[in-house]
Amino acid sequence: MNIIIKSFCVALIMFFATAGAVQAADTVEEYIREFPNQEQVKMMHAWLEKNEKGTFQFTGLVDPTDSTVVTPQATVNYGYNWFSVSDDPAIVKTPKYDKFFSVSIFDMKHNVPAVIVNPDKPILIKRPGQKVPDGDFHVVSLETDQGVILTRMVVVDNLKEVMGLSKKIVMEGGRGSMVRNVQRFSAETEKNALSVIDAIVSYANPDVAFGEVSGDVSFLNLAAGVKLGQLGTPADTVRYGIMLTDDKGQALNGKDTYVVTVPAGLHLKGGYYSVTLYGADNQLLIPNDKKIYDRTTFSSKANVDGSYTLTFSPDGEGINGIPTGKAFYGVLRAYVPNPDANMKVKVVRQ
């Protein structure tokens, strides 16, 4: 975030913090700081209504009916496991996979202390001070008792294989207390704070939206990152580019046709790119008869120079087309990213 934008956001916070606060902690700044925890707890409780703590549940290929998390990628099998290490550490065991497979561990503050790509040994999750058992592990330390594991396994015309491998992703332990406090705010403070977060979303840099520990990124960027894509991943594993407007600065709509060029070189060996479209109203995949919600390295034809031309159109027609039909926005992702690549792309209205 540049200095002008940061100053603007701080000014907004200062204004709203003094406008009608009912108590010392009921301020816009405190709400924005609490926002990641608030959203994590909300998602945790929704998940626990249907699932057991410390267990994995898998989505298969995500479709528009899946509202487990906003802004999902379509051609990925996601696994979710909300757990608690309040009593003892937990151990996650995983299978081998010859394509992209990552295990992301989040705490309730939306810190991401570890993202392990194609793990080569078990993952041990603990709180500071807890004893580590004997063995060779990837050791991950959490700032909170509760957390969530998000697994991503790319699907390339091999869903049966992927679902079979998913059964081998298991956790030992992780069934401690799931009680997590959430700070409450007045309706006025909530409204004002969400207005600030919405303002930041358009300017925030996705590369600095998520960190490993508290303080890695500013509370403003973190709140904006959570609002735009909860369970997003730090830039060393996944980099993001956000498409909110066209080349004229207008919001993307479901009536016009747009063309995007995804440049070559976004990812390193073992990675891939994806572009996924989401409804502006709900941040979920957009229903369409073709059941095409994204384009990736595996589902799009490259140009001679290694770039990709994509078409966003109401009916999904055009080179590497994705149907729209409603107001939308897009997310470009690079898995195993090139840290020097430019993730900004221009959306050209035809």
Side-chain angles (χ1 to χ4, degrees):
M1 182 180 297
N2 66 40
I3 189 66
I4 295 175
I5 296 167
K6 185 174 182 179
S7 298
F8 164 72
C9 292
V10 170
L12 282 176
I13 291 171
M14 293 294 292
F15 171 77
F16 287 132
T18 59
V22 298
Q23 56 182 346
D26 188 36
T27 67
V28 166
E29 179 176 341
E30 285 302 312
Y31 185 100
I32 295 173
R33 291 184 181 277
E34 173 69 2
F35 183 73
N37 177 64
Q38 187 180 72
E39 294 300 289
Q40 292 288 83
V41 171
K42 187 185 304 181
M43 186 187 292
M44 179 181 75
H45 285 165
W47 190 86
L48 289 172
E49 288 179 2
K50 298 180 180 179
N51 304 285
E52 292 293 327
K53 58 186 176 181
T55 64
F56 282 93
Q57 298 296 322
F58 299 96
T59 60
L61 287 176
V62 177
D63 65 28
T65 66
D66 192 320
S67 58
T68 305
V69 63
V70 296
T71 64
Q73 190 191 322
T75 48
V76 166
N77 173 42
Y78 287 100
Y80 298 93
N81 179 344
W82 289 87
F83 64 89
S84 171
V85 289
S86 62
D87 300 327
D88 296 293
I91 297 173
V92 179
K93 296 181 178 180
T94 61
K96 300 291 184 182
Y97 186 47
D98 62 359
K99 298 178 179 62
F100 182 87
F101 167 42
S102 66
V103 180
S104 302
I105 296 100
F106 300 79
D107 69 15
M108 301 307 288
K109 301 177 182 179
H110 208 285
N111 296 313
V112 197
V115 181
I116 303 166
V117 178
N118 296 98
D120 57 356
K121 53 188 175 183
I123 302 166
L124 186 138
I125 305 171
K126 61 182 284 293
R127 290 280 278 138
Q130 289 181 332
K131 185 177 179 181
V132 176
D134 294 335
D136 187 18
F137 304 102
H138 294 286
V139 179
V140 180
S141 184
L142 292 189
E143 292 185 25
T144 61
D145 289 343
Q146 301 78 22
V148 59
I149 297 173
L150 173 69
T151 64
R152 293 182 180 93
M153 194 173 285
V154 64
V155 179
V156 187
D157 298 323
N158 64 340
L159 182 59
K160 184 176 180 181
E161 175 193 5
V162 167
M163 297 309 292
L165 289 172
S166 295
K167 295 178 181 178
K168 299 180 181 180
I169 304 174
V170 295
M171 171 177 274
E172 296 175 0
R175 303 196 178 193
S177 170
M178 301 302 288
V179 176
R180 176 73 184 173
N181 292 332
V182 178
Q183 188 174 347
R184 303 299 180 185
F185 298 86
S186 67
E188 182 181 7
T189 295
E190 178 177 3
K191 178 182 177 181
N192 292 335
L194 290 175
S195 296
V196 174
I197 295 172
D198 287 340
I200 299 168
V201 163
S202 299
Y203 301 100
N205 181 355
D207 282 350
V208 293
F210 307 108
E212 293 184 3
V213 298
S214 294
D216 275 358
V217 301
S218 76
F219 73 96
L220 296 170
N221 272 335
L222 178 59
V226 172
K227 177 66 182 292
L228 193 59
Q230 194 174 354
L231 303 189
T233 306
D236 56 353
T237 303
V238 185
R239 293 187 64 202
Y240 302 89
I242 311 301
M243 292 167 270
L244 297 171
T245 59
D246 63 19
D247 55 324
K248 305 300 183 183
Q250 300 298 309
L252 306 177
N253 66 73
K255 298 179 180 180
D256 289 318
T257 294
Y258 306 88
V259 172
V260 172
T261 299
V262 178
L266 292 185
H267 59 83
L268 305 178
K269 184 179 179 181
Y272 68 101
Y273 96 86
S274 73
V275 168
T276 311
L277 303 187
Y278 304 100
D281 58 339
N282 60 9
Q283 299 179 275
L284 301 177
L285 301 176
I286 301 172
N288 64 83
D289 293 339
K290 293 186 176 182
K291 297 184 178 180
I292 295 175
Y293 314 109
D294 69 350
R295 290 291 181 179
T296 74
T297 301
F298 312 111
S299 63
S300 54
K301 183 178 179 180
N303 299 320
V304 175
D305 63 358
S307 65
Y308 295 84
T309 299
L310 309 184
T311 307
F312 307 155
S313 59
D315 55 7
E317 294 300 314
I319 300 172
N320 298 321
I322 308 176
T324 59
K326 62 187 291 189
F328 70 96
Y329 68 98
V331 177
L332 167 65
R333 294 175 172 90
Y335 293 88
V336 192
N338 177 352
D340 298 322
N342 184 356
M343 295 296 293
K344 294 182 179 180
V345 295
K346 182 182 294 186
V347 182
V348 180
R349 186 172 61 185
Q350 300 301 287

